[in-house]
Amino acid sequence: MKKLYSVLCMQSHIVGHNAVLYNKPFVESFEETPLLVAVLTYMGYGILTLFGYLRDFLRHWKIEKCRVASERDEQKDFVPLYQDFENFYTRNLYMRIRDNWNRPICSVPGAKMDVVERVTHDYNWTFEHTGTVLKNVINMGSYNYLGFAENTGPCADSAAEATVKYGVGVSGTRHEIGNLDKHEELEKLVARFLGVESSMAFGMGFATNSMNIPSLAGKGCLTLSDELNHASLVLGARLSGSTIRVFKHNNMQSLEKLLRDAIVHGQPRTHRPWKKIVILVEGIYSMEGSIVRLPEVIALKKKYKAYLYLDEAHSIGALGPRGRGVVDYFGVDPHDVDIMMGTFTKSFGASGGYIGGKKELIDYLRTHSHSAIYATSMSPPVAQQIITSMKCIMGEDGTTLERLRQLSENTTYFRRRLHEMGFIIYGNENSPVVPLMLYMPAKIGAFGREMLKRNIGIVVVGFPATPIIESRARFCVSAAHTKDMLDTALNAISEVGDLLQLKYSRRTRLSDDEEADHLSYLVSYED
Amino acid sequence: TGSFVLPGAHGVQSASSASSTKMASGQQWVLVEMVQAFYEAPAYHLILEGILILWIIRLLFSKTYKLQERSDLTEKEKEELIEEWQPEPLVPTVSKDHPSLNYDVVSGPPSHKIIVNGKECINFASFNFLGLLDNERVKQKALASLKKYGVGTCGPRGFYGTFDVHLELEERLAKFMRTEEAIIYSYGFATIASAIPAYSKRGDIIFVDEAACFSIQKGLQASRSLIKYFKHNDMEDLERLLKEQELEDQKNPRKARVTRKFIVVEGLYMNTSDLCPLPELVKLKYKYKVRIFMEESMSFGVLGEHGRGVTEHFGVSIDDIDLISANMENAVASIGGFCCGRSFVIDHQRLSGQGYCFSASLPPMLAAAAIEALNIMEEDPGIFTILRGRSIFTPSLKVVGEVFAPALHLQLEQSTGSRESDIRTLRGVIDYCLERQIALTQARYLDKEERFLPPPSIRVVVTVEQTEEDIEKASSCIREAAISVHQRSQDRSLVTDTASNRQPFS
């Protein structure tokens, strides 16, 4: 996640203006960082940096053993591959808490998972597997929103059939005899699922963005990108050669100002009008837990004749009464979104991505997408997994929409409980992505480890994935979580929260009535 | 500003008339004299100068004010402009008969026998060199993995998306290639496209072969480095560029000390099916202190005694190549790609390779399939010899190197006039062969996006599964097709093998 933040970035409370556009309350909160916490956090980084310099000094004079892999002797006189400062952060800060990432697992990434136990004898420079496995760790880290990460059941069975029939590879691109009947079946289904004319599927979610945006925008075009957009969108926009301007996260005034200025002033230097303007937004922002203000974006896009590219990587399947993502959640017409993009990695328990939209758009992509022409097409069992899980969400296999209901219930419950406990949690009340603020660098490592001790696997993130002082833990609620699991997790979070003094929120422990008055910062709308 | 000088000038004048002796004695008197002159000056003079100063101030301010006013549009004008602006359509319309709009549909697996548009054919199009696509052992391992892990990983490598099979595959690839470390990506295309910008940044210099494939081109673009193209496989041209750069570096040694330099080549070129002159490249590398990145998607699992690729083929030490990348979608017949090399180089991608960090990891069953494919390759290195034997598909023996290529390009000897008509002619050849149960495909490119667009061609792929008869049949079929198309179009286009110096296709 590429972000440019001003120092001391305090998320201001988002205030909406177009209440009429929403069919339900839009409640999203980003409680301000307490000042003392902010100061202490900066001090923490200051101390870490000082020690970093000290240890680099010791390493330089060979007083401390340097464990960094080094250049081979034959190439010592080449220009260094890395500038010394480039890896300062990795060497001195990340290395201290590296054990919280890349934890290997050896089971389905379902509601519970088995984590391979690792130890380090050299302060995280290398890891050794002890040979034991931490069984049944509650998984709050995987993007398994609808619980389709399964090794039994209809999805796995149909994927197994596809493996027997097709094998796993394709060894060709869509244009070069790599267009299987499975792919065509998948694309028809995706179009039907999204309620659009046509769709195209790609083998990798990241590449869906980075290899298709360049076919949609180019020189003389303007892309307006949310500041918290995923790296793949940023890369796609950059590869397109278009001019990129960034608006404040989910801030419609900022977006409108950019749109107005762009049309009024035209291109810089040449002053020609822009060829077209493309707005890039995501459905759910995976680090903030916020939901895009889609009705307002659509209103702006219509007013200013811009095109809207909506990346539903996290929201497809996870939001809306019918699981059709953020479009369904707000009850807007899918035709109002020009480019509907999403991934199959998360809710569908597969991998890859899609783009849906008008037939002309998809026809154009079929002939001009980098992916269709140069990249190997999707593995058949993966395509089958998507087909089966999607049909399940659509209720076509005779099951009810149980998973969707369960996810929404779990989300509400989990968020409410965390809030009651006094944690600062970010994002929309309906978002299954739940960031819990840790702030201080030392707490990142401590929280991750303490949780794993209690058999709960969570994700912690810090700089550069977040602004420097806004380190956080992130939970992804799944439909596969039972209430018991959530309670176990919540109790552990509370316990660790007390241990590490993470209950920062100053807006809790109030009775419901008081809270309603007090939470005037939460904007809610009734239609 | 003239008026500001006035009091001073006046002061000096009046002072000189009052006491000319003091003037000569020194500068320190000037200030005193100026103050004195100010007192002595007549009132009208001071008033006049005061007015002048005020006037200047007014002029200064009114000027900037006017500038601002000129550029300001009223709200109404802005609304009009917004109303007036008409964007281009999101995408241009594609004509219904665009050659690449209607794909050939493959029902069932694209293995040795392939059903294209409902017709069973022998596959001469998929990069399934070793025939592992429908290998029973590979399938069984994939199924076992599916039963254990499910399909998707539901997360990137950092967030519980690292499975034990991923670690095993990385270890196995490193062992197979005899390098310290390997890193896997979940998409072949993203591998080199992510690896290049992980190292080469703005201000760095990349020397790259003109024939480099599209994923390399995208990697170069993402790196925002300075790109210098050298003529395809022309080491003299490369050396010329390197020398030029050396001179440049001597002029600005401080900058040169931090400017990283890379040569990016393909082992076996996707677009031309010929080998890079690796030994020469390695010599240049040490002479000019440039690092080499090599893309080996077409040569990994094909060339060399053990299928290790171009380094093994030439007997070049793999340590001399800084980074090797390849996909696991051709010879390995799974999905994804990998980079390998020394840990010093490769490990950096675990935090800087965008396609590695920000993408969901490879589905474990595909990793398991790749491991089993490596097992087969290790157990039976004979298959590489068989494949190379198969590669003698056309009488192109005279050209050394190219005969090993498992995928050859067949081009028209003479263009029929335009790229479109060439493509149509080649499509005619393909359709003719499809009728006779030989599945072929054209090499497709994005005409407008390619840096150096290769001429239209049919790409013929040989695999270990094809028999002598299959190849015989395909050869004669293509020959007949070429003649028939030639007769039909009444021009002298003959299909030839480009890799064999335009010798007629026997």
Side-chain angles (χ1 to χ4, degrees):
Chain A
M1 188 151 291
K2 283 260 151 101
K3 309 165 177 190
L4 286 171
Y5 270 95
S6 58
V7 187
L8 242 172
C9 165
M10 303 221 183
Q11 290 280 355
S12 58
H13 317 134
I14 292 163
V15 183
H17 288 283
N18 298 302
V20 280
L21 295 173
Y22 292 89
N23 61 354
K24 60 162 78 70
F26 186 78
V27 183
E28 210 155 274
S29 86
F30 299 91
E31 192 176 330
E32 250 178 47
T33 309
L35 187 63
L36 179 67
V37 174
V39 172
L40 288 173
T41 307
Y42 276 117
M43 277 173 63
Y45 277 103
I47 292 166
L48 279 169
T49 310
L50 275 177
F51 271 87
Y53 280 121
L54 178 70
R55 295 186 63 183
D56 272 0
F57 176 81
L58 295 177
R59 285 184 195 122
H60 182 76
W61 294 103
K62 308 264 191 281
I63 299 167
E64 188 185 324
K65 192 181 164 204
C66 185
R67 294 186 176 85
V68 187
S70 62
E71 181 85 274
R72 60 197 281 253
D73 292 335
E74 293 90 329
Q75 291 179 222
K76 284 259 158 69
D77 54 346
F78 280 43
V79 174
L81 190 55
Y82 316 111
Q83 297 302 322
D84 206 36
F85 58 84
E86 269 181 67
N87 293 331
F88 179 87
Y89 183 86
T90 315
R91 208 165 42 227
N92 295 305
L93 278 77
Y94 171 69
M95 202 49 83
R96 292 168 182 269
I97 49 172
R98 191 161 87 118
D99 54 316
N100 289 291
W101 291 276
N102 302 305
R103 286 176 181 156
I105 71 170
C106 53
S107 70
V108 185
K112 288 190 172 179
M113 60 184 171
D114 299 339
V115 179
V116 179
E117 195 183 53
R118 304 185 290 185
V119 286
T120 174
H121 301 295
D122 51 6
Y123 304 98
N124 286 348
W125 284 93
T126 57
F127 292 104
E128 242 173 61
H129 296 173
T130 57
T132 51
V133 169
L134 307 171
K135 287 263 177 200
N136 293 324
V137 176
I138 296 177
N139 182 357
M140 301 295 298
S142 296
Y143 308 128
N144 177 26
Y145 300 122
L146 291 180
F148 279 112
E150 295 167 321
N151 55 359
T152 53
C155 292
D157 291 346
S158 64
E161 270 170 44
T163 312
V164 172
K165 186 175 173 199
Y166 292 90
V168 296
V170 186
S171 294
T173 71
R174 293 295 292 275
H175 280 199
E176 297 169 354
I177 308 241
N179 178 46
L180 305 187
D181 45 359
K182 258 304 149 236
H183 299 135
E184 305 236 317
E185 182 188 346
L186 172 65
E187 287 174 351
K188 286 198 186 95
L189 182 69
V190 171
R192 201 147 54 81
F193 178 75
L194 297 172
V196 294
E197 287 174 14
S198 188
S199 87
M200 186 164 183
F202 305 93
M204 183 197 197
F206 185 97
T208 308
N209 280 333
S210 60
M211 294 167 84
N212 285 308
I213 296 174
S215 356
L216 300 172
K219 208 160 165 279
C221 301
L222 177 68
T223 37
L224 297 177
S225 169
D226 190 291
E227 65 181 341
L228 299 189
N229 272 347
H230 189 258
S232 56
L233 289 163
V234 176
L235 180 65
R238 201 184 279 163
L239 291 177
S240 74
S242 62
T243 306
I244 304 165
R245 286 181 189 159
V246 176
F247 59 92
K248 289 206 189 83
H249 175 53
N250 227 350
N251 185 324
M252 294 304 116
Q253 290 94 302
S254 172
L255 174 60
E256 180 160 18
K257 187 170 182 308
L258 285 181
L259 279 166
R260 282 185 81 87
D261 286 354
I263 299 172
V264 170
H265 298 300
Q267 299 184 37
R269 288 175 49 236
T270 60
H271 300 292
R272 296 284 162 83
W274 294 102
K275 286 184 184 161
K276 55 192 168 196
I277 300 176
V278 183
I279 303 170
L280 303 180
V281 290
E282 287 184 52
I284 292 180
Y285 288 84
S286 66
M287 288 291 165
E288 306 300 299
S290 51
I291 296 178
V292 64
R293 299 175 155 268
L294 190 65
E296 288 177 74
V297 177
I298 290 176
L300 285 179
K301 155 219 133 80
K302 283 183 175 164
K303 185 174 172 195
Y304 294 99
K305 293 173 237 150
Y307 299 106
L308 179 57
Y309 186 107
L310 175 65
D311 174 347
E312 295 224 53
H314 287 268
S315 52
I316 192 72
L319 275 187
R322 293 158 59 245
R324 305 312 202 262
V326 71
V327 172
D328 187 23
Y329 175 75
F330 287 114
V332 299
D333 185 354
H335 295 103
D336 284 341
V337 179
D338 300 277
I339 306 125
M340 300 262 279
M341 181 271 167
T343 64
F344 300 124
T345 314
K346 283 101 184 177
S347 299
F348 304 98
S351 79
Y354 65 80
I355 284 187
K358 290 214 170 60
K359 188 163 181 307
E360 300 93 82
L361 168 75
I362 303 302
D363 279 354
Y364 184 78
L365 285 181
R366 284 191 194 288
T367 50
H368 291 84
S369 160
H370 300 176
S371 184
I373 294 171
Y374 296 104
T376 303
S377 34
M378 188 185 273
S379 165
V382 173
Q384 186 57 54
Q385 160 86 13
I386 303 162
I387 292 172
T388 314
S389 57
M390 196 173 273
K391 280 188 176 160
C392 178
I393 300 171
M394 293 164 88
E396 289 187 3
D397 63 340
T399 60
T400 55
L401 302 173
E402 185 58 24
R403 289 175 195 252
L404 294 167
R405 196 189 51 75
Q406 190 65 49
L407 175 64
S408 146
E409 224 167 69
N410 285 354
T411 302
T412 315
Y413 176 71
F414 192 74
R415 279 191 165 262
R416 183 172 58 81
R417 285 287 308 276
L418 282 181
H419 193 259
E420 281 168 3
M421 286 174 190
F423 292 104
I424 295 187
I425 53 170
Y426 271 10
N428 194 291
E429 59 166 8
N430 292 321
S431 143
V433 181
V434 188
L436 181 152
M437 303 311 288
L438 303 173
Y439 299 111
M440 295 172 203
K443 292 184 183 180
I444 302 174
F447 192 76
R449 286 171 198 150
E450 288 297 325
M451 291 303 287
L452 190 62
K453 263 190 215 162
R454 288 162 178 77
N455 236 27
I456 292 156
I458 54 126
V459 164
V460 284
V461 269
F463 182 79
T466 69
I468 192 134
I469 66 159
E470 288 183 20
S471 304
R472 60 196 68 177
R474 191 185 60 184
F475 311 101
C476 293
V477 180
S478 163
H481 290 135
T482 61
K483 187 154 180 299
D484 268 359
M485 291 181 203
L486 289 181
D487 282 334
T488 315
L490 284 162
N491 291 339
I493 294 165
S494 181
E495 204 180 301
V496 179
D498 286 330
L499 181 72
L500 302 176
Q501 300 195 5
L502 292 170
K503 296 180 177 174
Y504 297 113
S505 179
R506 291 161 299 184
R507 295 202 169 96
T508 47
R509 299 183 195 88
L510 301 167
S511 74
D512 281 351
D513 290 348
E514 261 181 291
E515 195 174 17
D517 288 342
H518 209 76
L519 300 182
S520 55
Y521 69 100
L522 296 178
V523 187
S524 59
Y525 290 113
E526 309 286 343
D527 204 340
Chain B
T1 51
S3 61
F4 287 112
V5 185
L6 273 175
H10 172 79
V12 172
Q13 260 177 0
S14 57
S16 62
S17 61
S19 49
S20 58
T21 48
K22 275 181 191 168
M23 259 297 285
S25 69
Q27 292 292 313
Q28 72 265 39
W29 291 103
V30 172
L31 197 71
V32 181
E33 283 165 2
M34 270 169 68
V35 176
Q36 227 172 10
F38 186 74
Y39 283 119
E40 286 169 14
Y44 75 90
H45 195 116
L46 288 176
I47 290 163
L48 188 72
E49 294 208 359
I51 290 168
L52 279 173
I53 289 166
L54 286 175
W55 186 251
I56 286 163
I57 290 167
R58 187 173 171 270
L59 272 177
L60 277 173
F61 281 87
S62 64
K63 198 177 174 191
T64 49
Y65 180 68
K66 263 186 186 159
L67 258 178
Q68 228 172 23
E69 201 177 45
R70 206 167 15 175
S71 71
D72 261 4
L73 292 163
T74 64
E75 281 306 307
K76 192 165 161 278
E77 281 171 315
K78 281 186 186 171
E79 289 300 334
E80 279 169 9
L81 281 170
I82 289 165
E83 195 57 44
E84 193 184 284
W85 181 65
Q86 278 305 330
E88 282 181 7
L90 179 60
V91 288
T93 42
V94 180
S95 69
K96 284 218 167 53
D97 55 345
H98 191 287
S100 46
L101 190 55
N102 304 303
Y103 311 143
D104 296 321
V105 182
V106 176
S107 344
S111 48
H112 176 52
K113 289 265 193 270
I114 183 172
I115 300 169
V116 185
N117 302 335
K119 191 156 187 88
E120 195 186 272
C121 302
I122 302 164
N123 192 347
F124 280 88
S126 307
F127 296 126
N128 177 23
F129 305 138
L130 301 178
L132 296 175
L133 194 90
D134 54 351
N135 183 292
E136 205 45 45
R137 275 175 64 186
V138 174
K139 276 187 189 172
Q140 287 309 321
K141 278 288 151 72
L143 283 172
S145 174
L146 172 67
K147 291 224 167 65
K148 187 174 179 199
Y149 302 100
V151 176
T153 56
C154 287
R157 288 291 293 264
F159 305 152
Y160 304 102
T162 301
F163 287 60
D164 47 0
V165 268
H166 293 138
L167 300 177
E168 190 189 339
L169 176 57
E170 284 176 346
E171 211 172 282
R172 289 294 306 278
L173 283 165
K175 213 177 108 210
F176 184 89
M177 293 296 283
R178 306 261 168 100
T179 54
E180 277 180 16
E181 195 169 337
I183 181 172
I184 52 173
Y185 282 77
S186 55
Y187 204 45
F189 188 96
T191 311
I192 190 73
S194 291
I196 294 173
Y199 304 98
S200 187
K201 311 281 179 192
R202 201 190 284 275
D204 296 333
I205 301 170
I206 304 178
F207 301 91
V208 60
D209 192 289
E210 279 183 355
C213 65
F214 198 72
S215 53
I216 292 180
Q217 292 173 38
K218 288 293 121 180
L220 300 175
Q221 199 188 340
S223 76
R224 296 189 274 185
S225 310
L226 181 64
I227 313 296
K228 298 195 170 179
Y229 283 93
F230 59 89
K231 291 205 188 75
H232 176 51
N233 273 352
D234 186 340
M235 291 303 103
E236 278 168 28
D237 196 39
L238 172 61
E239 185 152 20
R240 179 183 61 82
L241 289 173
L242 289 167
K243 268 196 186 125
E244 258 174 34
Q245 188 53 43
E246 200 178 42
L247 287 175
E248 199 69 26
D249 286 351
Q250 280 161 3
K251 273 185 225 157
N252 195 347
R254 186 184 279 189
K255 191 178 162 208
R257 270 204 297 277
V258 293
T259 306
R260 287 166 282 225
K261 291 184 240 19
F262 304 90
I263 298 173
V264 178
V265 290
E266 275 180 79
L268 188 61
Y269 283 88
M270 175 92 176
N271 294 350
T272 57
S273 299
D274 50 3
L275 278 171
C276 71
L278 195 61
E280 283 85 29
L281 280 164
V282 172
K283 262 181 228 149
L284 290 177
K285 164 188 165 154
Y286 288 108
K287 189 169 173 197
Y288 295 96
K289 304 193 192 327
V290 194
R291 294 167 199 276
I292 299 181
F293 287 4
M294 185 160 72
E295 219 298 319
E296 287 223 67
S297 290
M298 298 299 282
S299 46
F300 170 70
V302 174
L303 295 183
E305 198 187 334
H306 301 92
R308 289 189 201 113
V310 178
T311 44
E312 197 183 25
H313 175 85
F314 280 116
V316 168
S317 161
I318 202 152
D319 282 341
D320 285 333
I321 313 301
D322 293 82
L323 180 141
I324 287 178
S325 90
N327 71 29
M328 300 186 283
E329 294 162 355
N330 300 348
V332 178
S334 180
I335 298 284
F338 71 93
C339 289
C340 63
R342 288 172 58 85
S343 294
F344 172 71
V345 179
I346 299 301
D347 197 48
H348 183 65
Q349 286 177 56
R350 297 197 190 273
L351 286 173
S352 305
Q354 283 213 329
Y356 178 86
C357 298
F358 295 105
S359 160
S361 51
L362 184 68
M365 63 183 295
L366 302 178
I371 293 173
E372 189 60 20
L374 286 179
N375 284 338
I376 294 171
M377 285 155 73
E378 278 178 350
E379 281 165 24
D380 180 19
I383 48 174
F384 305 116
T385 322
I386 297 175
L387 180 62
R388 282 194 296 272
R390 287 278 184 281
S391 306
I392 308 165
F393 180 75
T394 60
S396 51
L397 288 161
K398 278 175 204 158
V399 186
V400 182
E402 284 75 9
V403 285
F404 297 118
L408 290 175
H409 289 270
L410 307 182
Q411 295 175 354
L412 291 173
E413 175 137 352
Q414 250 181 348
S415 171
T416 51
S418 70
R419 196 174 173 88
E420 284 70 45
S421 73
D422 285 359
I423 288 174
R424 236 176 292 123
T425 313
L426 289 174
R427 182 70 220 186
V429 175
I430 289 170
D431 288 340
Y432 182 94
C433 294
L434 270 179
E435 280 295 306
R436 283 149 193 83
Q437 299 182 314
I438 301 292
L440 294 170
T441 182
Q442 287 194 51
R444 304 269 198 191
Y445 307 100
L446 280 172
D447 298 6
K448 293 196 180 103
E449 306 268 334
E450 284 280 353
R451 185 67 169 62
F452 300 96
L453 183 63
S457 65
I458 296 174
R459 199 193 288 112
V460 185
V461 178
V462 286
T463 71
V464 292
E465 287 180 310
Q466 291 154 0
T467 60
E468 294 293 334
E469 293 84 71
D470 289 340
I471 293 175
E472 198 59 42
K473 188 181 170 195
S475 302
S476 57
C477 201
I478 295 168
R479 203 177 322 118
E480 284 163 28
I483 294 163
S484 134
V485 165
H486 160 79
Q487 282 167 348
R488 230 180 304 152
S489 63
Q490 286 300 309
D491 60 39
R492 305 183 312 114
S493 59
L494 258 177
V495 177
T496 57
D497 175 15
T498 47
S500 63
N501 286 345
R502 298 183 174 266
Q503 292 225 336
F505 188 83
S506 107

